[in-house]
Amino acid sequence: MKYARFYGIGDIRIEEGADLEPGDGEAILKVRAVGVCPTDVKAYYSGSSSIKVPIVLGHEVSGTILSSGTEQLNPGLKVNVAADCPCLECGICRRGLVNMCPNMLSLGVNVPGGYAETMRIPSEFIERGLVYPLTGGTGFVEGALIEPVAVSLHCLNLADYASIENAAVIGDGPNALIHLQLLKRIKRVKNVTVIGLSENRLKFATRFGADHVVNISREKNFYSEMKKEQIDLVDITIGNPEAAAESSHLLGKGTHILIFGGSMNDAQIPVSMNDVHYKQLRVTGSTGTDLKSYSNALDLVKSGKIDLVDLITARFRLEDLASALDYSRNLRGLKCAVEFPDG
Ligand SMILES: [Zn+2]
Ligand SMILES: [Zn+2]
């Protein structure tokens, strides 16, 4: 079987290995689609201290069960595999912070991921119910994208919508457009403005229901324009510290600030102590997802409430993974996926 192994910055090799056999309690997945995530791009171009190299990356995975060492999963079953498997037993998990479990098993981080013809599903993922059957007409690509919907939902669930009328989404990438859809269609936020840099991506934002879009390369005075209305939620979906710092112009009374994007290096953003104090700002970060957000995301994707098909603007083969990563980095389109042919 063929797989793409990541060795370090700029080094991904297509290799051939022996066919995988499932151990007791494990299953082997025939991979059909993997979403290319900004985390993969970040690892490939800037490295990552948490990833145990060499490893197969790819954590947004769907496919069919090829062989199984457990009665829980039968061969032929179409599934999505969660990216992360928390232990559910440690002190952090017991506090309900399973997304930050220190014993986490994570595809493409410390467990081989999906950029491979076949992938071993560890027994822990199966025991903890983290392999989700894709029933109905859900395609493999949409099935692979449940993870980004789940992490987005986990983030947005951290704000209180009773007091949110106007929201600003900072960023126009694929995750921003998932956030936008969730804010409009699930959280029912009245006004959502998407602030970005790419005319093409902002057109998608309008299509996905944005009430306003702002191209910051063209509209220089938009902060003062926008500030005429109270902004209740500033949702920072990108890892750009300058953009995050600039969005402080939008903060109103009681504004919720969600930081969803991680920065390339450990960038600092200046926050005024008095702003936090006098405006009663609520600043919340978000990483990963929890089990409930994951199963809710699965339902949203299965029911077609979130449009993922149009979010995929390019499809690549495994052999062209480096091109897929380059496509994601150059912000040419939206999201891309690696697909594997049937058969
Ligand atoms: Zn991801
Ligand atoms: Zn834990």
Side-chain angles (χ1 to χ4, degrees):
M1 70 110 178
K2 227 184 266 174
Y3 52 89
R5 195 138 62 151
F6 172 65
Y7 282 82
I9 296 175
D11 189 359
I12 280 185
R13 304 175 203 169
I14 305 292
E15 296 174 342
E16 191 105 32
D19 287 345
L20 301 176
E21 293 291 337
D24 210 18
E26 298 177 345
I28 305 301
L29 182 77
K30 180 176 165 33
V31 180
R32 293 297 306 280
V34 188
V36 176
C37 177
T39 320
D40 304 332
V41 177
K42 205 156 94 177
Y44 184 60
Y45 288 101
S46 312
S48 160
S49 54
S50 50
I51 294 177
K52 284 201 173 148
V53 288
I55 196 167
V56 176
L57 300 174
H59 57 267
E60 302 175 2
V61 186
S62 72
T64 50
I65 301 296
L66 188 65
S67 54
S68 177
T70 164
E71 285 177 358
Q72 278 174 269
L73 294 174
N74 291 327
L77 188 68
K78 191 173 162 182
V79 297
N80 162 260
V81 185
D84 300 307
C85 176
C87 76
L88 305 181
E89 284 174 358
C90 71
I92 298 295
C93 283
R94 282 204 312 273
R95 286 170 174 81
L97 303 170
V98 299
N99 55 319
M100 291 180 280
C101 171
N103 308 316
M104 194 84 90
L105 296 175
S106 298
L107 299 182
V109 177
N110 53 13
V111 171
Y115 293 130
E117 287 175 334
T118 57
M119 180 185 94
R120 183 183 305 280
I121 307 175
S123 57
E124 293 89 342
F125 282 69
I126 301 168
E127 281 160 21
R128 292 167 208 165
L130 301 172
V131 182
Y132 299 88
L134 293 172
T135 49
T138 312
F140 286 110
V141 170
E142 298 139 274
L145 268 48
I146 291 165
E147 194 266 349
V149 176
V151 294
S152 299
L153 193 59
H154 173 264
C155 173
L156 296 177
N157 282 344
L158 296 169
D160 165 20
Y161 293 87
S163 62
I164 294 174
E165 255 185 47
N166 301 318
V169 174
I170 313 295
D172 54 13
N175 284 326
L177 300 187
I178 292 174
H179 281 232
L180 159 69
Q181 294 186 53
L182 292 169
L183 285 170
K184 287 303 294 181
R185 298 174 194 176
I186 310 305
K187 303 297 185 188
R188 302 278 169 206
V189 175
K190 208 165 132 202
N191 278 304
V192 181
T193 301
V194 176
I195 299 169
L197 276 170
S198 152
E199 211 52 44
N200 184 38
R201 288 177 159 196
L202 290 170
K203 269 188 204 147
F204 276 98
T206 305
R207 224 169 89 193
F208 289 142
D211 299 286
H212 308 279
V213 295
V214 174
N215 186 335
I216 49 167
S217 61
R218 294 214 189 138
E219 295 171 51
K220 298 289 177 209
N221 293 325
F222 79 97
Y223 284 124
S224 45
E225 270 305 303
M226 273 188 80
K227 266 187 83 171
K228 287 181 189 160
E229 286 220 48
Q230 152 88 6
I231 305 292
D232 308 300
L233 172 69
V234 173
D235 177 20
I236 303 167
T237 66
I238 50 174
N240 178 333
E242 285 95 54
E246 288 221 331
S247 66
S248 64
H249 294 295
L250 298 173
L251 304 177
K253 295 199 172 15
T255 298
H256 297 243
I257 303 141
L258 294 175
I259 300 185
F260 176 80
S263 69
M264 282 278 185
N265 30 44
D266 190 21
Q268 312 286 310
I269 46 171
V271 180
S272 147
M273 186 169 167
N274 275 346
D275 268 1
V276 176
H277 170 62
Y278 287 112
K279 292 182 178 169
Q280 279 186 208
L281 300 179
R282 291 170 265 194
V283 185
T284 312
S286 177
T287 179
T289 188
D290 60 299
L291 308 191
K292 191 160 183 281
S293 299
Y294 207 99
S295 60
N296 288 344
L298 178 78
D299 291 341
L300 292 176
V301 172
K302 279 193 197 166
S303 64
K305 284 202 177 118
I306 300 296
D307 186 350
L308 295 173
V309 177
D310 289 337
L311 212 60
I312 296 291
T313 48
R315 292 160 192 256
F316 293 86
R317 286 289 154 92
L318 180 68
E319 291 77 6
D320 303 317
L321 178 58
S323 310
L325 293 165
D326 181 61
Y327 178 89
S328 297
R329 183 175 69 147
N330 284 328
L331 316 177
R332 270 173 276 176
L334 283 169
K335 190 154 177 101
C336 68
V338 170
E339 280 187 305
F340 297 80
D342 192 8

